[in-house]
Amino acid sequence: MSAIISIASVKILTQLLSPEKYGELALGLTFIVLLNNLLFGPFSNAFQRFYSVFKEKNQLRIFSALLHNEITRLVFFTALIGIFTLSILFVFKNSLFLFGALAVLFALLSGINSIFDGIQNAARQRIIVVFHQLSLNLLKVLLAVIFILIFSAKAFYALLGYLSAGVLVVFSQKFFLRKLFIPNERDVIIDRESISKIRNYAYPFMYWGIFTFLHLVSDKWAIQFFDNIDNVGNYAVLYQLGYSPIILLTTILVKLIAPIFYEKAGDATDFERMKIVRKYNTFLIAICLFITFSAFGLTHFLHETIFRLLVSKDYSSCSFLLPFVVLAAGLFATGQVATIYQLSSNSTSRLIKVKICTSSIGLLLNFAGAYYYGINGVIYSLLSFSIIYFLWIIFLSYNSALSHDSFENRP
């Protein structure tokens, strides 16, 4: 349903916004990528991973207090980043100040929402997760269209609709979380060990977060710098049609399976339990590869039809690039699925090198591709990065599994 809504939103918004305005909206949303990679994403993963651990030890009151404290810290750091960013906009391009403020607020709400979704998913409250994800996607499109029709076909009013949707969903999230936890009380004592568990798991994500952020936003900004804003809009359409649905489908698999893996792994000290996790993870990788190459084959033959049905004709000139975006998305997503074994074994630090190195390679490839070949070069850069990332993660997971087995078999 989320994939259908996302694709429908492309059709609707490309009818209302020109490639230039759609490109501006895509650039504005890059701030979400910043906060997700540096702050909220790491802690969303950490709270999702350790929910079952705290529940198993009957320590959900401590978990609730931890959640409250860490979100307060994240809001504070978001405010600092926002003030710095808005100050730069005010000095160099004050016409974008209000647009930037909306982007910061929406990124903040999206980050909090991702943490709440992760906890609800870990608690197997999947109907609630579905409700909030569908509500957010529907409300974003609906309110963006309403504001555009009432005021003007500008990226600012589309983003205002997104922000309004974020406010409504976060308030709903808080209501449902109160039913999940014992309310946080002031007399709860949070020990250092509990804080360390959450932060030590999250910090490696933050270390590589700056590199993944630069890589993830460099594609659009490289096209803007070396090509033109219209092709930023074209690229955003390709990304939403070809990249986002594949990532979304594999994310659904991960969100369904990961909490089960975490429960089976426990505190990751039992080798027999880790063998079971590895077996299931391998099976999941095979499924993702099958989806990837099937989707690549379909879009190779149907890309013109897909664009004719789903996008305004102003964007049709780039449809031939869609299969390569799909293939890149599938390989990257499969690599992400392969990391579940590392996450289940609590060895997130092993991912630091591969995340930083591949993101740096991807960043350089994006600018080189945009400089020499424009939007086409960025698409081929995206595919090259995904191949490198996938192969490296598979190699890392294989070595990690071997090290577990050899340690277990030591006399």
Side-chain angles (χ1 to χ4, degrees), residues 27 33 145 176 206 229 231 277 292 333 360 371 373 389 394 403:
L27 292 175
V33 182
V145 170
F176 283 102
M206 299 177 73
I229 188 67
N231 269 341
V277 172
T292 295
S360 301
Y371 178 78
Y373 303 108
Y389 179 78
I394 293 297
S403 65

Side-chain angles (χ1 to χ4, degrees), residues 2-15 17-19 21-27 29 137 140-141 158 162 219-220 231-249 299 306-307 310-311 315 318 321-322 325-326 329 375 379 382:
S2 293
I4 292 169
I5 294 168
S6 177
I7 292 170
S9 72
V10 175
K11 177 69 172 178
I12 294 169
L13 292 178
T14 54
Q15 294 286 347
L17 298 174
S18 66
K21 300 302 179 184
Y22 200 74
E24 289 177 1
L25 177 62
L27 292 175
L29 293 176
N137 288 329
K140 281 196 306 182
V141 180
Y162 283 24
D219 47 10
K220 298 179 183 68
N231 269 341
V232 176
N234 288 326
Y235 180 81
V237 167
L238 284 166
Y239 198 92
Q240 284 187 270
L241 290 181
Y243 206 90
S244 296
I246 294 291
I247 297 296
L248 181 60
L249 289 173
T299 52
I306 292 171
F307 263 64
L310 301 178
V311 188
Y315 298 78
C318 60
L321 293 168
L322 184 63
V325 177
V326 169
I375 185 175
I379 297 298
L382 186 67

Side-chain angles (χ1 to χ4, degrees), residues 221-228 366-372 374:
W221 286 101
I223 295 171
Q224 159 73 359
F225 190 76
F226 293 116
D227 204 341
N228 57 66
N366 279 342
F367 278 96
Y371 178 78
Y372 288 107

